[in-house]
Amino acid sequence: MRIVALAGGIGGARFLRGLKDVVAPGDEITVIGNTGDDIHLFGLKVCPDLDTVMYTLGGGIHEEQGWGRAEESFAVKEELTAYGVGPSWFGLGDKDFATHIVRTQMLGAGYPLSAVTEALCDRWQPGVRLLPMSDDRVETHVKITDGEGTRAIHFQEYWVKLHAAVDAEAIIAVGADTAKPAPGVLEAIAAADVILFPPSNPVVSIGTILAVPGIREAVARAAAPVVGLSPIIGGAPVRGMADKVLAAVGVAASASAVALHYGADLIDGWLVDEADAEAVSEVEAAGIPCRAVPLLMSDPAATAAMARAALELAEQVRG
Ligand code: GDP
Ligand code: CA
């Protein structure tokens, strides 16, 4: 079976680990990763979501934190701060720096991001084929108004520095309109037996991937059933501030609103948490088969059960 999953960072990576636990030997998982969170820091190209997937599936992740390397130190960051060189709000550890140095060096030598990602994965052996959504530069920016006026700032500045404390007025995927899907992306979608939307951020993770021209159309057209899992439980994101970016696109922070935001043109099945069982009829009324199952990725077994439920729903809705 060929499974394709669109993925952001932590929510996507943790779900993918559960998915790997339940697939049969020989099944192939292709992950299309969000690169809209990418940022240039200290002259280096940093791809937070691709790295979170790679480290999580490759056994290098800082488990409690959910991002960055395990057993990390911060000597380089402290030295940069001593020189007065920032930003200090983005946590790059010493081991993590090596990844960004290798990536930047390869990009400088002319390799596309997809080839660089493949080379990095040679070391980490994540057990999935990890493709960036695009080799072209796409950067998510957030329009805000604060004491300094109205302006657009990089998504990482909004998320990590400001902790999404200010309302997001608009989300702009800069460069997305002219970006091309990375090699293999459209082919994987077309050849898939199942397409999954993990409980990743619907706006700045999955939404950004779908904003690359051709990807949304390919998913909508695909022969494979498309099943998504709600990142919202009981009216709140399980982790992070997804409600702030949902509000920016006019979508309520609820399991049913996210399903309707994707819409019946795109998804063929939707899983909500048992706490949101009342959302099932609303989602089904919109033409999207829906089930309520436990959706908290509290441990590997719970996460694997979520992946199994998603694959089962895919089988049920297969035409
Ligand atoms: P990011 O790029 O690191 O923000 O990660 P993603 O976009 O892949 O996932 C973030 C989303 O994962 C957030 O909106 C969370 O609500 C969701 N999330 C995190 N943990 C869980 C969980 O245990 N269950 C569910 N259903 N969603 C989760
Ligand atoms: Ca992200």
Side-chain angles (χ1 to χ4, degrees):
M1 191 159 72
R2 281 161 298 194
I3 303 169
V4 168
L6 275 47
I10 301 178
R14 289 197 170 151
F15 173 77
L16 288 166
R17 198 156 52 176
L19 180 65
K20 272 177 67 184
D21 284 344
V22 301
V23 296
D27 287 354
E28 280 170 31
I29 304 173
T30 299
V31 177
I32 300 170
N34 172 42
T35 58
D37 292 15
D38 294 5
I39 185 166
H40 288 79
L41 294 169
F42 313 109
L44 300 174
K45 167 92 161 174
V46 181
C47 302
D49 285 359
L50 292 180
D51 287 350
T52 295
V53 170
M54 182 175 77
Y55 293 155
T56 301
L57 300 184
I61 200 76
H62 185 303
E63 284 294 338
E64 297 72 42
Q65 200 169 253
W67 54 269
R69 293 286 305 278
E71 289 155 42
E72 186 58 289
S73 56
F74 290 87
V76 174
K77 188 179 182 214
E78 282 158 26
E79 290 295 311
L80 288 163
T81 305
Y83 282 111
V85 173
S88 56
W89 48 264
F90 200 88
L92 289 184
D94 299 331
K95 293 178 177 175
D96 201 20
F97 259 111
T99 304
H100 312 315
I101 290 169
V102 173
R103 175 184 292 123
T104 307
Q105 194 175 31
M106 286 189 71
L107 289 169
Y111 290 96
L113 183 62
S114 49
V116 175
T117 304
E118 195 180 338
L120 294 171
C121 285
D122 265 351
R123 172 185 173 191
W124 289 102
Q125 295 292 316
V128 301
R129 187 158 72 115
L130 177 60
L131 303 176
M133 64 188 197
S134 178
D135 280 335
D136 300 320
R137 182 168 170 175
V138 178
E139 252 179 43
T140 304
H141 286 222
V142 182
K143 185 183 167 202
I144 61 161
T145 303
D146 63 4
E148 292 172 47
T150 298
R151 63 214 159 92
I153 58 176
H154 191 286
F155 172 72
Q156 297 296 355
E157 188 175 350
Y158 180 70
W159 207 248
V160 180
K161 184 181 180 193
L162 302 181
H163 301 288
V166 199
D167 286 345
E169 295 166 15
I171 311 292
I172 312 111
V174 180
D177 48 347
T178 55
K180 289 179 296 299
V185 166
L186 297 182
E187 293 82 353
I189 293 170
D193 298 304
V194 178
I195 299 173
L196 299 175
F197 290 4
S200 284
N201 190 306
V203 182
V204 293
S205 293
I206 308 262
T208 308
I209 300 169
L210 294 171
V212 175
I215 296 188
R216 173 186 291 274
E217 297 74 7
V219 172
R221 241 194 346 256
V226 182
V227 170
L229 299 93
S230 177
I232 305 291
I233 297 182
V238 180
R239 198 192 150 104
M241 300 78 73
D243 49 326
K244 300 293 276 210
V245 289
L246 281 166
V249 297
V251 177
S254 77
S256 54
V258 174
L260 272 62
H261 171 63
Y262 286 134
D265 312 344
L266 201 60
I267 55 171
D268 306 304
W270 185 245
L271 294 179
V272 301
D273 187 78
E274 286 176 323
D276 297 310
E278 83 288 350
V280 170
S281 55
E282 199 184 329
V283 174
E284 294 208 319
I288 303 165
C290 183
R291 307 280 181 271
V293 296
L295 284 192
L296 261 186
M297 298 189 279
S298 41
D299 57 58
T303 312
M306 285 166 57
R308 204 174 291 118
L311 294 174
E312 277 167 17
L313 182 54
E315 286 316 311
Q316 287 168 23
V317 301
R318 192 183 294 281

